[in-house]
Amino acid sequence: MYKVTVRIEGMMCEVCEEHICEAIKKAFNAENVTASHKKGEAVFETPNEISKDEMKKVIDETGYKFKHMSVSKASNRQGGKKGLFSSLFGK
């Protein structure tokens, strides 16, 4: 999984955040999508790498302005309590 942070210009409220989240979910099979108009960013996880051109196209089509994108490997999801107990009990 990849963790993507996108800087976006033009979001003014919670409705704007929802608009961005829905566009990202639809375009990239994304999970854990959040957006903040106060921070001017959206953060999400996706199983596939995304190019800046793909991201720019999706954001620009919403009417907001793509500014920047950073990508990193998402943390391992197995590390939480479920993973700990699963490893202790062999499940």
Side-chain angles (χ1 to χ4, degrees), residues 4 10 16 18 22-23 27 32-33 38 50 55 74 83 89:
V4 181
C16 298
E18 188 60 32
E22 289 302 315
N32 303 318
V33 183
K38 291 179 183 178
I50 298 170
M55 190 78 248
F89 297 108

Side-chain angles (χ1 to χ4, degrees), residues 49-64:
E49 288 188 75
I50 298 170
S51 74
K52 286 186 180 182
D53 289 339
E54 291 173 306
M55 190 78 248
K56 182 179 183 334
K57 181 178 185 284
V58 169
I59 298 302
D60 289 351
E61 286 177 352
T62 64
Y64 304 101

Side-chain angles (χ1 to χ4, degrees), residues 3-90:
K3 180 179 178 181
V4 181
T5 303
V6 184
R7 300 288 300 160
I8 303 166
E9 187 176 283
M11 291 189 293
M12 304 300 278
C13 65
E14 291 82 11
V15 175
C16 298
E17 295 170 353
E18 188 60 32
H19 190 202
I20 289 291
C21 288
E22 289 302 315
I24 289 170
K25 287 177 189 175
K26 183 178 177 183
F28 302 115
N29 192 30
E31 300 176 0
N32 303 318
V33 183
T34 61
S36 169
H37 70 281
K38 291 179 183 178
K39 293 181 181 179
E41 71 179 19
V43 180
F44 62 96
E45 293 180 355
T46 183
N48 304 309
E49 288 188 75
I50 298 170
S51 74
K52 286 186 180 182
D53 289 339
E54 291 173 306
M55 190 78 248
K56 182 179 183 334
K57 181 178 185 284
V58 169
I59 298 302
D60 289 351
E61 286 177 352
T62 64
Y64 304 101
K65 185 174 181 184
F66 171 87
K67 298 299 284 181
H68 177 75
M69 178 177 88
S70 62
V71 180
S72 62
K73 284 285 193 176
S75 60
N76 186 350
R77 292 179 171 208
Q78 299 299 320
K81 290 182 181 178
K82 182 177 180 183
L84 173 65
F85 291 123
S86 295
S87 63
L88 289 174
F89 297 108

